[in-house]
Amino acid sequence: MSVIPYARQSISSYDIREVAMALKSDWLTQGPRVKKFEEDLCGYTGSRYAVAVSSGTAALHLSMLAVGMGKGDISVTTPITFSASANCAIYVGSTPEFIDIDDRTCHLDIEKLECFLRVPSQRKKVKVVVPVHFMGTVFDIAGLKKVCDRYGIKIVEDAAHALGAKYKYGGWWMPVGSCGHSDAAIFSFHPIKHITTGEGGAIVTNDRRIYERALKLRHHGIMCDKAKAAWYYDIPEIGFNYRITDFQCALGSSQLKRLDAMVRVRRKLVANYNIGLSSVDNIRLPYERPGTYASYHLYVIRVANDKRNKLYDFLRKNGIYAQVNYIPVHLLAFYRKKFGYKAGDFPVSEKYF
């Protein structure tokens, strides 16, 4: 039986050539191809700065530190996401809070966020909102910015699903990651994403302070001071080994050249699925907001509760390796035990699951 995997990377002969050239060069770890990949990401997204790191999770962690999150602060995100979107707040000693999703878009519900923020005791410790461009469909980031600006709250977009997506604003198409309505955005380059570096991620931003702090923390927090001596360094703030290699970035730059073409293929597949499934009763298809161009990392359909597991088992039995995305983060064992979340806290997310 032939098998259709959940995901599979697309590696071209050109990709292989670029990686081979990097392996034959003098650089394997941090070298010129890292900087080149960062420049390529800026060129694609329109952001001013990029910091390539070892994973999307590392990008989220450094983003929290770079925007000043710390003990006593609150980060707000959605329950329908991979847990890293919430875990990143815990990494820096902060507390993750959740806002339920909009039933149609599956994105964080901005109206519910506004209700949450109107309560002074809830609002006062919120420092950042982490919206998720779920499936690669585009969250209303411009609408969120209006709310967050009112309260002085920063925005870090979790765009791990959405490289290659864009939205229309003021008559112009803005790429997700341009950071025109956020303080920073992060991407993931895991093999199941739009482009891959094997493992890897990146932070993009237009804020030089965020860029410089993320850059420093990526490499243990080391600061060199050639005025003292060519060899001299210090660590004023402890950082991490979140570096990415030159040969990974050679693959990333090569893949980025094919991104638009690969997104077009994804959108064509989505159109075919939509046509094929639109006549099937009791299936809800993904929703793409007007004025947006989704890049579809995932294609999520919703079926009746009593059919979901049967459908999953049927597909798997026939060699189609679908997946269930996602178990709401607040229902994971760690979050139940640590924060006391329980079933019923976010009913729309739970109904979706």
Side-chain angles (χ1 to χ4, degrees):
M1 180 178 66
S2 62
V3 170
I4 299 175
Y6 172 61
R8 181 171 52 207
Q9 66 273 14
S10 171
I11 303 295
S12 70
S13 58
Y14 183 79
D15 294 337
I16 295 169
R17 188 185 77 179
E18 290 297 298
V19 172
M21 288 175 62
L23 291 171
K24 292 174 183 177
S25 75
D26 294 333
W27 299 90
L28 284 185
T29 56
Q30 294 269 291
R33 287 173 178 83
V34 175
K35 186 64 176 173
K36 172 68 163 54
F37 183 44
E38 291 170 342
E39 291 170 350
D40 291 344
L41 286 170
C42 289
Y44 186 87
T45 62
S47 61
R48 291 179 187 168
Y49 309 107
V51 180
V53 293
S54 56
S55 68
T57 299
L60 281 164
H61 184 188
L62 293 188
S63 294
M64 293 298 100
L65 291 169
V67 299
M69 287 286 286
K71 189 174 181 180
D73 294 328
I74 288 174
S75 166
V76 174
T77 192
T78 164
I80 300 301
T81 183
F82 184 61
S83 60
S85 310
N87 294 349
C88 59
I90 299 170
Y91 297 159
V92 299
S94 302
T95 301
E97 290 276 4
F98 299 101
I99 295 296
D100 212 347
I101 62 169
D102 174 88
D103 186 54
R104 192 174 193 188
T105 64
C106 301
H107 296 154
L108 181 151
D109 190 317
I110 294 178
E111 289 186 8
K112 289 174 182 166
L113 174 65
E114 283 196 274
C115 291
F116 179 87
L117 294 174
R118 286 193 194 111
V119 180
S121 61
Q122 295 177 161
R123 178 182 70 237
K124 64 181 181 180
K125 291 185 178 180
V126 176
K127 182 168 278 188
V128 66
V129 175
V130 182
V132 177
H133 297 283
F134 179 58
M135 286 190 273
T137 58
V138 183
F139 178 82
D140 182 9
I141 195 70
L144 177 65
K145 181 171 173 57
K146 291 177 183 177
V147 175
C148 289
D149 280 355
R150 200 176 304 145
Y151 300 109
I153 296 170
K154 295 185 181 298
I155 300 171
V156 174
E157 299 174 68
D158 185 339
H161 291 191
L163 186 62
K166 53 190 175 182
Y167 62 101
K168 193 170 274 189
Y169 185 80
W172 298 89
W173 283 101
M174 298 184 67
V176 169
S178 60
C179 299
H181 297 95
S182 67
D183 296 276
I186 72 94
F187 295 112
S188 168
F189 308 125
H190 185 276
I192 67 172
K193 300 303 197 303
H194 303 83
I195 70 169
T196 187
T197 56
E199 286 277 6
I203 304 162
V204 291
T205 183
N206 296 323
D207 188 323
R208 187 168 184 83
R209 290 171 297 179
I210 291 174
Y211 166 69
E212 289 178 344
R213 187 141 192 253
L215 200 65
K216 178 181 69 173
L217 294 173
R218 173 179 70 180
H219 183 45
H220 301 285
I222 290 174
M223 297 290 288
C224 297
D225 189 347
K226 289 184 169 41
K228 292 186 176 181
W231 51 264
Y232 185 83
Y233 69 91
D234 201 354
I235 299 179
E237 178 185 10
I238 193 166
F240 308 88
N241 181 358
Y242 282 164
R243 298 188 302 268
I244 191 170
T245 66
D246 238 38
F247 60 89
Q248 286 177 286
C249 288
L251 177 58
S253 287
S254 179
Q255 291 250 305
L256 198 56
K257 293 175 181 176
R258 293 192 290 129
L259 173 60
D260 286 342
M262 290 194 285
V263 169
R264 285 194 294 271
V265 170
R266 286 173 179 265
R267 290 182 60 84
K268 184 176 180 181
L269 291 170
V270 167
N272 289 342
Y273 279 131
N274 284 345
I275 291 169
L277 294 173
S278 61
S279 61
V280 181
D281 292 337
N282 299 316
I283 287 183
R284 289 184 60 180
L285 304 180
Y287 177 70
E288 189 171 343
R289 292 191 308 110
T292 66
Y293 180 90
S295 54
Y296 288 108
H297 161 54
L298 303 172
Y299 180 83
V300 179
I301 63 169
R302 287 190 272 179
V303 299
N305 283 348
D306 60 335
K307 299 290 196 301
R308 197 269 308 279
N309 290 353
K310 292 177 182 178
L311 176 58
Y312 176 88
D313 291 341
F314 173 81
L315 292 173
R316 198 168 185 88
K317 182 179 178 181
N318 286 275
I320 301 171
Y321 280 46
Q323 186 55 281
V324 177
N325 295 94
Y326 291 98
I327 300 171
V329 178
H330 72 283
L331 296 183
L332 299 176
F334 173 86
Y335 282 85
R336 287 174 178 262
K337 184 177 179 180
K338 174 76 174 177
F339 301 106
Y341 287 115
K342 60 188 183 303
D345 284 345
F346 303 102
V348 184
S349 296
E350 292 168 34
K351 179 184 175 185
Y352 161 87
F353 169 58

